[in-house]
Amino acid sequence: MERTTGVAGDDNVAARTKVAVLGLGYVGLPLAVRAAEVGLDVVGYDPDEGKVESLQHGVSYVEDIGDNRLSQLTSFEPTSDVHELREFDVAVITVPTPLRAGAPDLSFVESATRTLADHLRPGAMVVLESTTYPGTTERLVADILLDLTGLRAGRDFHLGFSPERIDPGNREFTFETTPKIVSGTTVEALDAVDAFYSQLVATTVRVSATKVAELAKLLENTFRHVNIALVNEMAILAHDLGIDVWEAIDAAATKPFGFMKFTPGPGVGGHCLPIDPAYLSWAVRTELDKSFRFVELAVDINNHMPDYVVSRAGELLNSRRMCLNGARIGVLGVAYKPGTSDVRESPAERMVELLAHQGAEVWVSDPHVIDWNRSPRVEFESLYDALVETDLVILVTDHEEFDYGKIAEFSPLLLDCRNRFDSAAHIAKL
Ligand SMILES: NC(=O)c1ccc[n+]([C@@H]2O[C@H](COP(=O)([O-])OP(=O)(O)OC[C@H]3O[C@@H](n4cnc5c(N)ncnc54)[C@H](O)[C@@H]3O)[C@@H](O)[C@H]2O)c1
């Protein structure tokens, strides 16, 4: 592994290079915008015409990309027309890699690769960024392109994998400042992938094979997932032992070496943590006929956290001679993490479902999420009035926009899943 640091934009390897970005979502749009900002000609292709139209009108749907950034671009063309991909020099695939029935669903990668095949020329470069199991780039993507074009990766065109580490809402580590792992199926491909990304980010990290880069991405997210599961289980046990787990975690975190702080929560969400470890355990099971026990245990613990929160909600109501059935419950924050409107795999979804199943009347309020249709939604402006009419409030996602003083003041009973409040008679921590 080698780390290369340079000044973004100072490498002229590919001036006026035509870059095709396939998939303009949370990963693809920031990449496309950055590439256009450093002067490359960028075509962003997405079959979702609504997204493309929005971008064509200069309106971003990804919170980290402001409309003002879009309006300054002179070489970014969003399109749903595959013909605009013609004569690309570099194509980057940033399409979803979800699970279907617990197994990797690579149908989006396959279809994007087939789309590219129609326009692939000798000497071009293709990079996969979608998170996936080791071997996808050099087997699935290379094979589809060979079958459809007769062009062989490493001989006729460069093929690489460069995982995205974008952390939506994170202002400290952005696309440009987060080191980017780069890989290629040959040394020449690695050099080409490295040269391309060196124009976009401050630091690239070269690894020797695409499957190393693929595994590195899964390791990062599995590491996080497993450690969150550890503190989640510890929170459950500490509650039963009558110990404040948050205080214990803060105390442990004063150790300047050998400890990394993770905090408990109502479950994991988003497009990475609940899904990526399953890609790894699926690959291990399929290729080695072995189980990845750490991953499977962590998935089990994290998936059950919404159920645990609901059981704690029932206990709290019980302590006030109430029950879930008929209780008015307000859920604060339904995005999977603060500062984003992303509700994919959000634990709030399962929690609301479980509460409703028990007969509770649930409303939610989230300053970022306006298209929630799984339960009534209270507008952010009316939130503090709604709190007083509620039997129990559950803080699920601790957005900065919430006024925590007012929430503590107006909530008759509060379950704090994020350690945002000091202990009080009417406030319980997860
Ligand atoms: N969101 C994150 O924070 C994050 C971080 C790191 C890695 N990833 C990984 O990056 C990949 C993309 O994730 P995302 O969050 O950007 O997904 P997303 O759903 O936000 O965006 C994907 C886009 O791809 C488009 N698309 C679907 N099929 C297509 C096709 N055949 N050709 C072109 N476009 C197509 C969709 O319409 C959508 O706009 C996934 O593998 C994900 O695991 C995501």
Side-chain angles (χ1 to χ4, degrees):
M1 188 190 78
E2 240 178 279
R3 188 180 270 254
T4 318
T5 301
V7 179
D10 68 356
D11 189 328
N12 210 23
V13 176
R16 305 322 296 179
T17 297
K18 177 168 177 177
V19 179
V21 177
L22 285 89
L24 295 173
Y26 288 92
V27 168
L29 184 60
L31 168 78
V33 167
R34 178 68 182 147
E37 280 173 348
V38 301
L40 304 177
D41 282 331
V42 181
V43 171
Y45 166 73
D46 200 301
D48 183 332
E49 290 175 4
K51 282 185 175 171
V52 168
E53 207 170 302
S54 175
L55 295 173
Q56 284 168 341
H57 288 94
V59 179
S60 169
Y61 42 80
V62 169
E63 279 159 326
D64 292 343
I65 303 294
D67 294 351
N68 57 335
R69 264 180 92 182
L70 283 183
S71 68
Q72 284 165 20
L73 301 178
T74 52
S75 60
F76 173 45
E77 190 193 336
T79 182
S80 289
D81 179 358
V82 287
H83 297 103
E84 299 298 333
L85 298 173
R86 64 184 171 271
E87 298 187 346
F88 72 80
D89 300 297
V90 176
V92 186
I93 301 174
T94 52
V95 296
T97 43
L99 291 171
R100 189 187 295 157
D105 174 6
L106 291 180
S107 58
F108 297 97
V109 173
E110 287 169 14
S111 113
T113 307
R114 280 196 296 271
T115 302
L116 275 184
D118 290 338
H119 307 278
L120 182 66
R121 298 175 301 161
M125 180 172 100
V126 175
V127 184
L128 178 64
E129 281 212 12
S130 301
T131 308
T132 183
Y133 56 79
T136 305
T137 308
E138 61 181 18
R139 294 205 295 261
L140 184 83
V141 176
D143 288 355
I144 292 175
L145 292 175
L146 178 62
D147 281 355
L148 295 180
T149 67
L151 297 175
R152 188 178 290 281
R155 184 191 67 194
D156 304 312
F157 68 98
H158 295 313
L159 178 63
F161 181 81
S162 178
E164 184 45 64
R165 289 167 154 170
I166 207 157
D167 183 18
N170 191 330
R171 299 210 170 84
E172 188 183 354
F173 295 107
T174 62
F175 178 85
E176 294 93 273
T177 60
T178 306
K180 192 117 175 60
I181 296 175
V182 291
S183 68
T185 58
T186 59
V187 175
E188 293 74 22
L190 169 60
D191 288 341
V193 175
D194 191 5
F196 171 66
Y197 283 105
S198 294
Q199 298 172 93
L200 311 183
V201 300
T203 306
T204 56
V205 181
R206 296 163 62 99
V207 295
S208 62
T210 51
K211 57 191 171 191
V212 174
E214 290 161 334
L215 183 62
K217 172 69 189 178
L218 294 181
L219 173 60
E220 289 168 16
N221 282 345
T222 302
F223 172 82
R224 193 164 162 68
H225 191 264
V226 165
N227 280 287
I228 291 172
L230 173 69
V231 287
N232 277 340
E233 188 166 40
M234 193 158 293
I236 296 171
L237 299 174
H239 172 70
D240 292 347
L241 290 167
I243 301 170
D244 183 340
V245 73
W246 301 91
E247 192 182 352
I249 290 170
D250 282 343
T254 60
K255 186 179 180 187
F257 50 88
F259 183 83
M260 190 176 282
K261 182 174 169 178
F262 286 87
T263 50
V268 293
H271 215 264
C272 294
L273 289 199
I275 291 171
D276 299 355
Y279 264 67
L280 193 49
S281 59
W282 180 88
V284 168
R285 191 175 292 283
T286 310
E287 292 199 18
L288 305 175
D289 196 21
K290 288 185 173 163
S291 65
F292 199 148
R293 291 166 296 166
F294 256 113
V295 169
E296 284 166 18
L297 180 60
V299 168
D300 187 44
I301 292 171
N302 288 337
N303 283 354
H304 280 94
M305 287 311 286
D307 305 60
Y308 175 67
V309 175
V310 170
S311 76
R312 289 288 306 281
E315 265 176 36
L316 277 174
L317 288 166
N318 202 32
S319 70
R320 295 265 175 117
R321 296 175 181 273
M322 290 185 280
C323 63
L324 285 167
N325 194 353
R328 285 160 305 173
I329 297 184
V331 171
L332 302 188
V334 290
Y336 83 92
K337 69 175 196 171
T340 176
S341 60
D342 193 348
V343 294
R344 293 178 297 181
E345 314 290 330
S346 170
E349 205 171 304
R350 167 125 180 100
M351 202 181 298
V352 166
E353 195 183 297
L354 289 168
L355 289 166
H357 186 68
Q358 301 266 1
E361 285 173 35
V362 189
W363 57 259
V364 309
S365 188
D366 189 307
H368 291 266
V369 179
I370 47 168
D371 56 355
W372 175 269
N373 52 14
R374 295 163 191 87
S375 56
R377 195 174 65 82
V378 166
E379 293 295 340
F380 186 54
E381 294 71 34
S382 323
L383 169 62
Y384 304 105
D385 294 333
L387 292 176
V388 280
E389 302 289 322
T390 305
D391 296 311
L392 172 68
V393 174
I394 308 177
L395 175 66
V396 172
T397 306
D398 54 339
H399 292 298
E400 284 310 321
E401 288 83 353
F402 288 132
D403 182 331
Y404 292 97
K406 281 191 183 170
I407 293 173
E409 187 185 340
F410 296 135
S411 303
L413 190 59
L414 181 58
L415 176 55
D416 174 11
C417 298
R418 299 292 181 182
N419 195 30
R420 272 289 186 155
F421 301 93
D422 292 333
S423 293
H426 69 298
I427 300 177
K429 289 186 195 175
L430 187 71

